[in-house]
Amino acid sequence: MSKKIKTPNKSASPCNECPFRRESAKGWIGGHDDAIEIYQTVNASHKFPCHQVVNATKNDLHEGDEDDVFSDDELFEQACDEAPHCTGALIFMKNTAKRSDDPAIEKLRSETEKDHDSVFSNAAEFLEHHGTKDEHGKLMVQVFRKHRPNGIKRT
């Protein structure tokens, strides 16, 4: 049984800092080590919480933890659990025709509209925008594009 995932505001667009937006700062991926980590998380049907809500919730939880009972990692984990799924990630999934194995995420994805104008249409665009390197320091998107010269077509 999957756990309940909070629904983002369906009428909302991704936030201005969302890494899935075409207009996001190049290379800005928040606390993640690499853009490929973000892509793999979303592609593996894991919850991808809204970073703005996570940050605000973690700050609120930290202020309420006056005795420093919880570590930063514990506060972050709780904030991630409480945050809704990222709207940008859901639109990216819809744009790339990626279905989720998690019924709760799939329900949210199915209720989301495609938006190729504001959100990346495929993995190649996302990885090229944010850059991701392999263990040898080479840009992974070059390897991806070598096998798919035109990237993944829009649907």
Side-chain angles (χ1 to χ4, degrees):
M1 182 170 145
S2 73
K3 70 181 184 182
K4 181 161 173 47
I5 296 177
K6 292 184 182 178
T7 308
N9 180 349
K10 288 187 185 90
S11 65
S13 296
C15 66
N16 289 335
E17 296 175 358
C18 181
F20 296 99
R21 286 180 63 97
R22 293 181 181 277
E23 301 299 320
S24 64
K26 285 188 177 196
W28 188 89
I29 54 171
H32 298 276
D33 294 328
D34 201 326
I36 195 79
E37 176 188 345
I38 295 173
Y39 174 73
Q40 288 172 336
T41 299
V42 171
N43 215 37
S45 297
H46 295 295
K47 178 184 176 187
F48 192 82
C50 172
H51 75 279
Q52 282 192 330
V53 176
V54 168
N55 292 341
T57 303
K58 183 180 174 206
N59 290 340
D60 289 346
L61 292 170
H62 184 67
E63 287 176 12
D65 185 27
E66 295 172 1
D67 297 329
D68 287 329
V69 174
F70 299 102
S71 70
D72 277 347
D73 287 344
E74 290 171 318
L75 294 175
F76 179 77
E77 188 174 319
Q78 184 177 347
C80 286
D81 287 344
E82 293 181 18
H85 200 86
C86 171
T87 299
L90 292 169
I91 296 171
F92 181 72
M93 289 175 71
K94 190 74 167 204
N95 285 354
T96 60
K98 168 63 179 142
R99 294 178 150 286
S100 178
D101 295 332
D102 182 310
I105 296 173
E106 179 54 26
K107 181 176 186 315
L108 295 175
R109 188 208 63 85
S110 70
E111 296 169 349
T112 301
E113 296 294 322
K114 291 181 183 180
D115 180 358
H116 292 284
D117 294 330
S118 300
V119 175
F120 296 111
S121 296
N122 57 58
E125 289 178 351
F126 176 78
L127 296 173
E128 184 173 13
H129 181 80
H130 290 297
T132 185
K133 297 180 181 177
D134 66 12
E135 66 274 8
H136 305 292
K138 290 187 178 180
L139 205 57
M140 298 259 308
V141 72
Q142 292 172 339
V143 174
F144 181 82
R145 287 195 171 213
K146 183 176 182 182
H147 297 286
R148 295 184 183 245
N150 296 323
I152 300 170
K153 299 285 185 198
R154 287 185 182 190
T155 56

